[in-house]
Amino acid sequence: MSGSIDLTEWDCASDVTVPLNGEWSFYWSRLLTPADLAEGAITPQAYMNVPGHWNGQRIGDVTLPINGYATYRLQAHLSCSEGTLALKTSNIRASNRIFVNGDEIGHSGSPAADPSAIIHRNTPYAGYFQLQGNNDLDILVQVASFKSFNSGMVQTITLGRQDVIAHLGEYNVLLDGVVSSGFLFIGLYFFVLYFQRNNSKELIYFAFVSFCGGIYQMTHSERLLMKLLPSLDVMPQLWIENLSALGVLFFFSRFTYYLLPGVFSRKALRVLEIILAACALLVIFTKATYYAPYIYSILPMSAFVMGLNGYYMYKASLKRRPGAVYLTLSAISCFIMMFTSALNTLWQLDGHFFLPIAQPILVISQALYMSLQFTNDYNQVRRLTDKLSAADKLKDEFLANTSHEFKSPLNGIINISQSLIEGARGPLGREQSEDLQLVRDIGRRLTILVNDILDYSRMKHRDLVLHIAPVDLSAVVGAVIGLYGYAIKSKPLLLDNRIPPAAFFVMADENRLYQIIRNLIDNAVKYTERGSVSVTARITAGQVKITVSDTGRGIPPDRLESVFMSYEQAAETDTQLSGGVGLGLFIARQLAELQGGTIVAVSSIGSGTQMILTLPAAPVPAEAVPPVEIEEAPEPEKFYAMEGHGPVNILIVDDDYSNLRTLLNVLSLDGYKVTAVGSGEEALQRIEEQSYDLCILDIMMPGMSGYDLCRQIRERYTLPELPVLLVTAGSSREGMAFGFDAGANDFLQKPYDMSELRTRVRTLVALKQAMGQVVQKELAFLQAQIKPHFLFNTLNTILSLSHTDHAKSRTVLQNFSAYLRYSFDFRGEAELSEVRRELTLIKAYVDIELARFGSELRVEYDIDPEAGACRMPPLMLQPIVENAIHHGVMRREEGGTVRISVNLREGRLQVNVQDNGVGFPAKNMAVSDARGANVGLENIQKRLKHLYNETLIIESSSAKGTSVTFSIPALL
């Protein structure tokens, strides 16, 4: 109060930070320096509340304006006079410089009395200073602002220990960086996704929302944008901040509009767009960015826009749309964003007072909603595809079966017509003969169509056989044109074979080449009302190019490829005009490709069509190949924590409450202590807090799956240390292999039999208990073993001393006797031993080693007297001391010192053995890889993990020594 604060109750060495809130001495229109204060006491003009702004405050009869400059001063009295402390700023508008005890510790921008000289910056920073024997602080803060809607120390300045403040700053930067980069990466993902699905406008707007959200986050809190671009002036920073905020509102409204068609009012969207566009123009062309009326009008407008979007999302969720839960989450996130934004601005709270969870939840929920839509669309397309495939298969089977049935009647029509033409029933008149020939030729065309359908079926089933040989192209084309002689009698159409006889030969199946040419000419004849259809050929680079040209109506350029698809024709009315079904060109191209060739179309509306068939050229034989004969009759997040009772501790993880309840009831009947939770995150927290004998995990859980949770468990526990039983609804071998790779011990398939569940649980619990017994057996082995070399060296030392120092030899012999007595004293595998008893064993062992090594070995003790009555597992300390002596200090030529510390701290027994021996590289910090690792150290590690879920902490470096520490609960 009144410019001073008493902080004597604050522990300077604690991790607690102190907000320097309250009344600071205030000097208006003065930028005081420590030199000014040194000249004599300066009376403050007023006392100003921090956090707060000076605009609108009164000093006497004067009301302070927004623009100006001033100095804040606070004197603090501490309980400490040594150490390094720090100050952390949040929001001092719009430039500042801080002095502590006469020294400048930091600045943002450059405050000045002249508006043209000031450099506006408002970037949070931390300043560090040393107390240097003084427990009084004199803090001066110079502030100047000519470009802000309010001015002064509008948010808290925090005092704390140097490393605590540094950690706070790093945490804030990390938090802002994670949120900002998350927005930008999600925006990039949906930006790319839009171009893959360019008919979904909501994707591009959602990408822009994410981009703007990421940029906006970078202009707040720790202001990462200013840290990345330190030379950026405050005005561009304000433009970016305001335009990105308006961009979020604009693009989010458009995103909601296209995401929920028929729900978001188009008129409401237009009104919002006009308002937001006007705000953007004000930002760009006026000084609205630092005018209070604009800033304070933005708040209700933002609240209204986000509230309106949230309302429409909630309205859509009430219609039970797929993904309604995501829409509900989005609506809730919108309202949370409105609430926190208003509080941060109106109450001048620190930027990280509220964790920025609403924005990520909003983005993620919308991403999941769109993902669900895409999934539903994909599933719908897949279902339709399956139906179409089934229908297509039925169609092919129907056409193939029908074609087979047509062949016999058509053959009969053709043969009877031919027999009548030849006079089987007497001579015919000319007109009668022509009519019968027309019937015969129509029958032949229908037979060709039937064969096309059968060929189409064979090609789909890949059972078409080809016989490739040199074929005379002119003969085949002539045969086809001869076939169509009668078909064009009613048309003013000329069929012209321009290929000279025996001039061009191709490598092809003769019958299939005939079929290709026939289909090409048939297509030309059908779509050419008058003019000509001609066939030409030329050789190019070992390929024969056969061109079938017509003077018909042509094909639109965008349909040139589609006409080669099955059951496709150039126009919707083509079927009525030609009577075809759209198989000819498809079969022709397929047959050409099977023979190493291609078919392409060149055409435009009104200029006719050219079908260009390319086939491998064949050498011209000595004699012309006979022409082809035409045959007469030619295809949750909710979790539950429930406790049972029993000696064995089991953790169940499932997002379904009914499954949790069922497992809890069944396992509790067997006397197990059961904890049931509903998410992987909660399970990891429980595992961190206490030890379990078995984990039962459901695989299919939202967020963290059973596989992911199992992998994280295996990062800390081995298979026997914490067995895992995976529960799955699937039974595929791939899924089981994946689970075992993740670290599962066993699988249980849903729906499961209760007796099978109980049997598997008993087996895995027995595995865990066997692991504990193995650890205890190792301890028994460790107690029982007396290393031969230690026994030999000790006896040799006693024998040597008996000749020179009888008293010392008796002392060593007594210590050796005590060591053996304690080593052979078996009290039970699980019994705890008093610390004083363990220390007696240590001292006996150390005295023996001191007698051996003399002045080369020095041992120091730091034993808390109250720790002697505590209990700890036996033989936890001696192996560590032995390791320090033999593998640490005695590896040095000059020997060294071993320090043994046993202390009580905050209800825990802390044990530390430190030596200044040879040490080992930091890369070998694992117990199994540490220097001199043996069954003793590994057994201590296992027992710490098994009994207390703790581990040995080993710190070492080469030539500097080693420190081994463990901490366990202090038990009396």
Side-chain angles (χ1 to χ4, degrees):
M1 300 294 290
S2 302
S4 64
I5 185 170
D6 185 0
L7 298 178
T8 55
E9 296 183 359
W10 174 60
D11 184 2
C12 301
S14 70
D15 294 339
V16 179
T17 59
V18 178
L20 300 181
N21 296 341
E23 293 181 344
W24 289 51
S25 300
F26 185 73
Y27 306 87
W28 174 248
S29 293
R30 301 191 68 178
L31 296 177
L32 298 178
T33 64
D36 298 327
L37 297 177
E39 294 175 358
I42 302 176
T43 303
Q45 297 165 289
Y47 295 99
M48 192 69 64
N49 283 322
V50 174
H53 51 79
W54 71 54
N55 46 288
Q57 305 296 322
R58 298 182 63 83
I59 298 179
D61 296 332
V62 178
T63 300
L64 300 183
I66 297 176
N67 297 329
Y69 56 95
T71 301
Y72 291 79
R73 183 185 184 188
L74 180 67
Q75 294 174 302
H77 185 64
L78 306 176
S79 61
C80 55
S81 59
E82 296 293 338
T84 303
L85 302 181
L87 291 177
K88 174 72 172 66
T89 69
S90 294
N91 193 351
I92 304 178
R93 296 196 175 108
S95 64
N96 65 86
R97 179 176 285 107
I98 300 179
F99 300 89
V100 175
N101 291 344
D103 297 325
E104 181 179 344
I105 65 169
H107 65 91
S108 180
S110 180
D114 185 358
S116 62
I118 187 174
I119 299 176
H120 287 88
R121 289 284 187 280
N122 189 8
T123 305
Y125 63 91
Y128 305 95
F129 57 92
Q130 291 184 337
L131 294 179
Q132 297 178 340
N134 186 6
N135 59 355
D136 290 321
L137 297 181
D138 193 351
I139 305 173
L140 279 182
V141 182
Q142 297 179 350
V143 183
S145 176
F146 293 90
K147 290 182 180 180
S148 180
F149 73 96
N150 61 5
S151 301
M153 297 167 60
V154 296
Q155 289 182 348
T156 298
I157 285 185
T158 305
L159 173 66
R161 206 172 69 230
Q162 175 189 8
D163 57 329
V164 176
I165 292 295
H167 175 74
L168 176 62
E170 293 169 357
Y171 168 79
N172 290 343
V173 169
L174 177 63
L175 186 61
D176 288 349
V178 168
V179 174
S180 301
S181 59
F183 275 120
L184 296 176
F185 279 122
I186 289 176
L188 180 62
Y189 170 76
F190 281 96
F191 184 78
V192 175
L193 190 62
Y194 166 74
F195 290 98
Q196 296 175 349
R197 299 172 57 98
N198 54 14
N199 60 335
S200 302
K201 290 186 177 180
E202 65 271 16
L203 294 177
I204 193 66
Y205 289 121
F206 189 72
F208 289 148
V209 168
S210 300
F211 287 142
C212 292
I215 296 172
Y216 180 78
Q217 185 67 32
M218 293 177 69
T219 62
H220 279 69
S221 300
E222 290 297 311
R223 294 175 176 81
L224 297 183
L225 185 65
M226 301 294 284
K227 293 180 184 296
L228 294 173
L229 303 172
S231 61
L232 185 67
D233 189 67
V234 70
M235 284 308 298
Q237 187 264 335
L238 291 173
W239 290 336
I240 294 172
E241 175 182 341
N242 283 269
L243 291 177
S244 62
L246 294 173
V248 169
L249 300 176
F250 176 82
F251 292 119
F252 191 75
S253 299
R254 277 194 157 263
F255 162 72
T256 307
Y257 175 78
Y258 285 103
L259 183 70
L260 306 173
V263 177
F264 201 121
S265 169
R266 186 173 182 82
K267 291 183 179 179
L269 178 65
R270 290 290 175 260
V271 171
L272 293 180
E273 290 177 341
I274 292 172
I275 295 174
L276 294 172
C279 291
L281 293 175
L282 287 174
V283 168
I284 296 172
F285 297 107
T286 70
K287 299 179 180 180
T289 52
Y290 51 89
Y291 280 176
Y294 169 79
I295 298 298
Y296 288 118
S297 65
I298 282 292
L299 288 176
M301 185 191 71
S302 301
F304 172 74
V305 173
M306 297 306 295
L308 185 64
N309 282 277
Y311 163 74
Y312 283 126
M313 289 182 180
Y314 179 70
K315 182 179 178 181
S317 69
L318 294 179
K319 295 182 179 180
R320 299 187 179 277
R321 291 188 174 209
V325 64
Y326 301 132
L327 293 175
T328 304
L329 277 175
S330 300
I332 294 173
S333 300
C334 289
F335 290 110
I336 292 175
M337 289 170 60
M338 292 164 18
F339 180 71
T340 56
S341 177
L343 291 183
N344 283 336
T345 302
L346 299 177
W347 289 359
Q348 299 170 349
L349 298 176
D350 182 82
H352 291 100
F353 186 84
F354 298 103
L355 281 176
I357 59 172
Q359 300 93 322
I361 291 177
L362 175 63
V363 172
I364 293 172
S365 59
Q366 287 302 303
L368 290 174
Y369 179 75
M370 288 190 288
S371 176
L372 180 63
Q373 282 191 320
F374 295 156
T375 301
N376 291 338
D377 291 344
Y378 170 76
N379 290 335
Q380 178 69 12
V381 169
R382 188 173 62 180
R383 286 193 295 270
L384 292 175
T385 301
D386 292 341
K387 289 182 179 179
L388 288 173
S389 297
D392 187 61
K393 184 177 180 181
L394 289 174
K395 174 205 68 181
D396 292 341
E397 292 177 353
F398 169 77
L399 289 176
N401 294 334
T402 304
S403 299
H404 276 292
E405 295 299 324
F406 278 170
K407 290 191 74 173
S408 295
L410 285 174
N411 190 51
I413 292 172
I414 294 171
N415 291 335
I416 292 174
S417 301
Q418 185 64 32
S419 64
L420 291 175
I421 293 172
E422 294 177 355
R425 297 296 181 180
L428 299 174
R430 185 177 61 83
E431 293 181 357
Q432 292 172 329
S433 178
E434 289 179 355
D435 290 340
L436 285 173
Q437 289 176 2
L438 180 59
V439 170
R440 181 198 62 188
D441 293 338
I442 292 174
R444 288 176 175 174
R445 291 191 60 191
L446 287 175
T447 301
I448 293 173
L449 176 60
V450 167
N451 289 334
D452 282 344
I453 294 174
L454 292 174
D455 288 339
Y456 173 73
S457 178
R458 292 191 191 100
M459 282 188 288
K460 289 195 71 173
H461 292 89
R462 301 182 183 277
D463 58 358
L464 192 65
V465 179
L466 298 175
H467 302 282
I468 305 298
V471 179
D472 183 0
L473 188 58
S474 176
V476 174
V477 172
V480 174
I481 288 179
L483 173 66
Y484 280 87
Y486 289 103
I488 63 170
K489 280 187 175 180
S490 59
K491 285 186 177 182
L493 187 62
L494 173 66
L495 297 180
D496 187 7
N497 180 8
R498 299 181 183 178
I499 302 176
F504 297 93
F505 288 81
V506 295
M507 296 298 297
D509 182 292
E510 185 177 13
N511 291 326
R512 297 306 173 186
L513 176 60
Y514 173 84
Q515 188 176 354
I516 294 171
I517 300 297
R518 186 199 65 210
N519 285 347
L520 294 179
I521 292 179
D522 180 74
N523 187 77
V525 168
K526 280 191 291 187
Y527 297 108
T528 304
E529 297 298 324
R530 63 181 64 249
S532 65
V533 175
S534 61
V535 183
T536 60
R538 60 190 176 90
I539 296 180
T540 304
Q543 300 284 319
V544 177
K545 290 186 177 294
I546 306 109
T547 303
V548 179
S549 305
D550 65 62
T551 57
R553 50 182 144 165
I555 303 172
D558 59 338
R559 298 293 306 276
L560 290 177
E561 281 299 314
S562 64
V563 295
F564 290 103
M565 299 173 64
S566 59
Y567 302 105
E568 284 285 336
Q569 295 179 325
E572 294 181 358
T573 59
D574 288 345
T575 302
Q576 289 84 352
L577 291 174
S578 65
V581 295
L583 276 177
L585 293 180
F586 169 78
I587 291 174
R589 172 174 275 187
Q590 294 294 314
L591 290 174
E593 291 176 352
L594 288 174
Q595 299 175 85
T598 60
I599 296 180
V600 295
V602 178
S603 180
S604 60
I605 294 296
S607 61
T609 302
Q610 289 183 331
M611 293 289 178
I612 303 173
L613 167 65
T614 302
L615 289 172
V620 179
E623 297 181 355
V625 178
V628 178
E629 295 183 0
I630 304 175
E631 297 181 357
E632 294 294 329
E635 136 244 14
E637 200 145 357
K638 185 177 179 180
F639 67 86
Y640 308 89
M642 302 172 288
E643 300 289 341
H645 301 282
V648 176
N649 204 359
I650 297 178
L651 177 65
I652 305 171
V653 189
D654 198 318
D655 62 319
D656 188 285
Y657 175 75
S658 61
N659 291 340
L660 290 178
R661 190 77 237 182
T662 301
L663 289 170
L664 181 66
N665 293 339
V666 171
L667 297 177
S668 296
L669 293 175
D670 289 341
Y672 299 125
K673 181 180 179 182
V674 184
T675 303
V677 298
S679 70
E681 293 79 6
E682 175 66 10
L684 290 175
Q685 181 180 344
R686 291 304 182 97
I687 292 172
E688 187 73 25
E689 294 171 355
Q690 59 182 327
S691 60
Y692 291 93
D693 299 292
L694 173 64
C695 288
I696 302 176
L697 314 180
D698 183 53
I699 290 179
M700 298 301 177
M701 293 187 295
M704 184 183 297
S705 69
Y707 294 128
D708 296 333
L709 176 56
C710 187
R711 288 192 191 92
Q712 295 208 27
I713 291 174
R714 285 294 164 253
E715 290 178 1
R716 294 188 51 190
Y717 297 95
T718 63
L719 288 166
E721 284 177 343
L722 182 54
V724 173
L725 175 62
L726 285 181
V727 181
T728 175
S731 60
S732 66
R733 293 183 179 180
E734 293 81 3
M736 295 179 67
F738 193 63
F740 285 127
D741 287 342
N745 294 73
D746 201 358
F747 269 86
L748 186 63
Q749 184 180 352
K750 294 180 183 179
Y752 44 78
D753 181 73
M754 291 304 167
S755 60
E756 180 184 2
L757 167 67
R758 296 165 74 176
T759 301
R760 292 182 184 273
V761 168
R762 280 196 297 269
T763 301
L764 293 176
V765 167
L767 173 65
K768 166 68 180 216
Q769 292 173 340
M771 177 63 185
Q773 293 172 2
V774 168
V775 173
Q776 295 300 332
K777 295 298 183 183
E778 284 184 3
L779 173 61
F781 167 72
L782 189 62
Q783 282 182 299
Q785 70 170 344
I786 299 294
K787 297 181 179 179
H789 71 272
F790 174 73
L791 182 63
F792 172 79
N793 291 334
T794 303
L795 293 176
N796 193 39
T797 300
I798 294 171
L799 181 60
S800 176
L801 289 173
S802 67
H803 295 289
T804 59
D805 191 340
H806 295 286
K808 192 170 184 179
S809 67
R810 285 195 297 272
T811 301
V812 174
L813 188 58
Q814 289 172 353
N815 290 328
F816 186 48
S817 175
Y819 177 79
L820 292 177
R821 181 170 66 254
Y822 283 113
S823 296
F824 291 131
D825 185 10
F826 292 92
R827 297 190 173 192
E829 295 174 353
E831 185 176 347
L832 298 178
S833 172
E834 288 186 349
V835 171
R836 63 171 62 94
R837 182 177 182 276
E838 292 297 305
L839 290 174
T840 301
L841 174 63
I842 290 298
K843 289 179 180 178
Y845 170 76
V846 167
D847 287 345
I848 295 171
E849 299 292 20
L850 287 171
R852 288 181 57 198
F853 298 114
S855 61
E856 294 181 4
L857 174 62
R858 296 173 295 280
V859 179
E860 299 176 356
Y861 295 94
D862 177 18
I863 309 299
D864 189 338
E866 296 181 0
C870 295
R871 294 184 299 157
M872 63 186 295
L875 219 58
M876 295 284 281
L877 190 53
Q878 190 272 336
I880 301 176
V881 175
E882 180 182 353
N883 191 68
I885 292 174
H886 286 281
H887 300 287
V889 297
M890 300 317 299
R891 292 287 181 90
R892 298 176 60 192
E893 184 177 350
E894 67 274 19
T897 302
V898 176
R899 181 178 176 83
I900 304 170
S901 301
V902 181
N903 295 287
L904 278 175
R905 292 178 184 172
E906 300 179 353
R908 295 184 68 83
L909 184 67
Q910 296 200 2
V911 179
N912 173 260
V913 178
Q914 186 173 358
D915 67 74
N916 60 351
V918 295
F920 55 92
K923 66 180 181 179
N924 291 332
M925 285 301 178
V927 171
S928 59
D929 296 328
R931 52 132 213 239
N934 53 42
V935 68
L937 288 182
E938 293 185 2
N939 180 268
I940 294 171
Q941 178 83 321
K942 290 179 181 178
R943 284 190 289 156
L944 284 173
K945 194 72 167 286
H946 179 66
L947 296 174
Y948 307 108
N949 196 24
E950 298 286 348
T951 60
L952 286 174
I953 300 174
I954 302 176
E955 299 174 348
S956 182
S957 61
S958 297
K960 292 185 178 180
T962 302
S963 172
V964 180
T965 306
F966 66 85
S967 174
I968 61 176
L971 301 177
L972 296 175

